[in-house]
Each structure stands twice: as structure tokens, then as C-alpha cells.
Amino acid sequence: MGYKIIVDSCGELPNEWKQDARFASVPLELDVDDYHVVDDESFCQKEFLQKVKESPNSPKSACPSPQKYYDAFLSEAEHIYTVTLSSHLSGSYNSAQTAAQMFTGDFPDKKVHVFDSCSASVGETLIALKIQEMEEAGCTFEETVAKVQQYIAGQQTFFVLETLETLRKNGRLSNLKAFVANVLNIKPVMGATPEGQICQLAQAQGTNKALERMVQEIKNRTKNQEERILAIAHCNCPQRAQRVRERIEKLMHFKKILILDTAGVSSMYANDGGVIVAV
């Protein structure tokens, strides 16, 4: 009895998963003015960031159609799990849910579950990793769903971005007070609410101090660190991500730390220089 784990393309896939038939990515699509790109292996981060920089308009994303998910479900696997970015940020979750209903109607012997990550980026990656861990441990489909839901409820996401403009223009900061501190170079430390909405956790002057403050927030808010895997995603700033990792390792002891480069959707929201951490 096999399993398959599908992640929408806001979730970063480690390279080894890209060669593994048990994992699949369903791409969102991105637009910057008349520049259109599918968030799959054809995505070029450098070119995309340049287009974003040159455009006076905000980039936009479109979620996958139910058919794209349905096609990804088609496999020998009997247990099919899908992880999408927060339903508060995208229609990807609803699209996957629609596909799951269609699919189980056509294939009643298959079991499909769609997880709302209540996160994004490496938050989705860690959830996929948890699903794999439960399946490999021999858990039933129902046990895996229950344990992963429990994991999602305890997961936290943190991020520091050079600019919040894309999030603001796309209406993703609607529950926050307008942030007007550019003159003072105040950088907010952002996070996600348990429901998957964006919130501000703290702030500091300048990116480096904001990253340090983010590390402190991670330390203060994370229990049982030695039992948890932490993941860092960066948008075109590997050295910055490495510095964050080293700082975390000095203060905390996680079971494992992953560093991944952002794919298309995460690059769109994180923008050049953004760092995202999930644990």
C-alpha cells in the first residue's frame, strides 16, 4: 500500500523529493505585468525578481485549478495527502478540496486528505515531512491525518522581509494596522496566527536586528526544540540564511535544521532578501 504527498508550489521541495515519485508539486502561476510564469522547474528566480523590481505594479499569483490537483492524485498510491498554503492567503486549499471530492467520487477505494497548512513556504515542507514520517512509521491513514493535524496546530512560522509591499498590495496584510516606518528603517518581525493569517510579532531597526529579534522570538515560543525540525527558506540571500542558522544553533538545539531557497510563490511574497522560518 503506497502513499503520495502533494504540495502546492508555495511549499519548497528538497532536491531529493523532486526525484521521488511519492512527492509531487502542483504549481501556482505568477504574473508581473505581461510576464507570465508557471511556478515549476521552469521558474527562474533571478529573472522573476528582476521583473518585480522593474515593474511599478504588484506581482500576482493564481492558484491551481481542481483539475491540476486531480491529475496529481492519479497514481498507484492508496493514501494521498495534499498540503496547501494557508486558506487565508490563497484559493489553493479550496481548489484541492474540490479535486479531492471529485477524485474520491471516481475512486472510492482511495483515501485523500487535504491539509490547510495555516502557513506557507517551508511550513508546508515540514508538514509534508511529518506525513512521510507517520507513513514510514506504519501509521494508518486516519492516524496520520490526526497526528499531522496536531502537528499543524503546534507549528509556528516567522519571517523578516526587506519589504512588505507585495503583501500589502495584494491585500495580505488587511488585518494589520498600516505599517509606516520606512523612514526609520523599522523592520517588523512577522508571524502567522494559529488560523494562518499574517500577524506582527515584534519590530527592530534594520534587517540584522530584526533577524536577531526573530531568533529570540523562535527561542521564546518553541518548546521541545530537541524533538523538532526547523526549516529556513531564503529569497536570494544564502549567507543571511546561514547566519540565522548559526545564531539559532548557538541558542537552541533542534533535531535538524534545513535551509532551502524559495520557489516562485514564496519568492513573490518574500521578495529579494526575505527570510522565512518554520518550526
Side-chain angles (χ1 to χ4, degrees), residues 160-180:
V160 170
L161 310 183
E162 287 289 352
T163 173
L164 297 174
E165 276 302 284
T166 302
L167 286 169
R168 187 185 65 76
K169 286 179 181 172
N170 282 323
R172 301 302 190 257
L173 299 180
S174 53
N175 62 327
L176 295 179
K177 293 173 186 167
F179 197 84
V180 284

Side-chain angles (χ1 to χ4, degrees), residues 86 88-89 117-120 152-153 155-159 175 189-201 221 276-277:
S86 170
H88 285 284
L89 301 176
S117 72
C118 299
S119 181
I152 291 170
Q155 189 185 64
Q156 298 194 75
T157 308
F158 307 83
F159 57 99
N175 62 327
V189 177
M190 311 293 280
T193 66
E195 301 76 34
Q197 290 179 304
I198 294 170
C199 63
Q200 185 179 332
L201 303 174
R221 294 167 182 265
I276 307 161
V277 178

Side-chain angles (χ1 to χ4, degrees), residues 15-253:
N15 285 331
E16 61 268 23
W17 289 3
K18 294 175 184 175
Q19 317 304 323
D20 190 330
R22 295 171 301 177
F23 292 90
S25 175
V26 174
L28 282 81
E29 298 188 20
L30 307 172
D31 289 286
V32 187
D33 300 325
D34 57 357
Y35 174 80
H36 178 82
V37 64
V38 178
D39 188 11
D40 57 16
E41 60 278 353
S42 68
F43 174 76
C44 174
Q45 187 189 65
K46 185 179 178 182
E47 185 178 26
F48 178 76
L49 291 174
Q50 188 61 37
K51 295 286 185 186
V52 170
K53 192 176 176 182
E54 290 167 359
S55 174
N57 304 309
S58 181
K60 292 182 168 52
S61 64
C63 69
S65 66
Q67 188 63 48
K68 290 265 175 68
Y69 279 110
Y70 187 100
D71 293 346
F73 295 161
L74 291 167
S75 66
E76 297 296 315
E78 293 181 34
H79 294 174
I80 300 163
Y81 307 93
T82 302
V83 184
T84 74
L85 69 133
S86 170
S87 59
H88 285 284
L89 301 176
S90 167
S92 186
Y93 173 75
N94 289 336
S95 193
Q97 283 279 55
T98 301
Q101 289 165 3
M102 291 161 50
F103 188 81
T104 49
D106 293 343
F107 301 94
D109 293 342
K110 305 267 189 177
K111 293 184 175 182
V112 182
H113 187 82
V114 181
F115 292 100
D116 178 350
S117 72
C118 299
S119 181
S121 185
V122 279
E124 295 178 59
T125 311
L126 290 182
I127 293 164
L129 200 59
K130 194 71 179 176
I131 296 167
Q132 183 186 33
E133 182 189 323
M134 295 299 102
E135 275 281 345
E136 296 294 336
C139 293
T140 65
F141 179 81
E142 291 73 20
E143 285 170 342
T144 299
V145 168
K147 287 181 180 182
V148 174
Q149 283 296 169
Q150 194 176 7
Y151 174 78
I152 291 170
Q155 189 185 64
Q156 298 194 75
T157 308
F158 307 83
F159 57 99
V160 170
L161 310 183
E162 287 289 352
T163 173
L164 297 174
E165 276 302 284
T166 302
L167 286 169
R168 187 185 65 76
K169 286 179 181 172
N170 282 323
R172 301 302 190 257
L173 299 180
S174 53
N175 62 327
L176 295 179
K177 293 173 186 167
F179 197 84
V180 284
N182 291 342
V183 179
L184 300 172
N185 193 27
I186 300 292
K187 300 288 184 188
V189 177
M190 311 293 280
T193 66
E195 301 76 34
Q197 290 179 304
I198 294 170
C199 63
Q200 185 179 332
L201 303 174
Q203 64 186 47
Q205 192 163 18
T207 302
N208 289 338
K209 286 182 180 174
L211 290 169
E212 177 61 32
R213 185 63 192 269
M214 179 177 73
V215 170
Q216 292 299 330
E217 291 292 328
I218 294 166
K219 184 174 184 287
N220 295 342
R221 294 167 182 265
T222 311
K223 295 173 184 170
N224 306 325
Q225 296 157 3
E226 61 286 341
E227 297 168 16
R228 301 183 76 87
I229 297 173
L230 179 139
I232 303 168
H234 66 88
C235 184
N236 194 35
C237 55
Q239 287 151 328
R240 182 175 283 177
Q242 187 59 36
R243 285 199 304 271
V244 170
R245 175 187 189 146
E246 287 165 5
R247 191 70 189 124
I248 288 170
E249 286 176 335
K250 275 187 181 174
L251 297 175
M252 296 163 260
H253 300 283

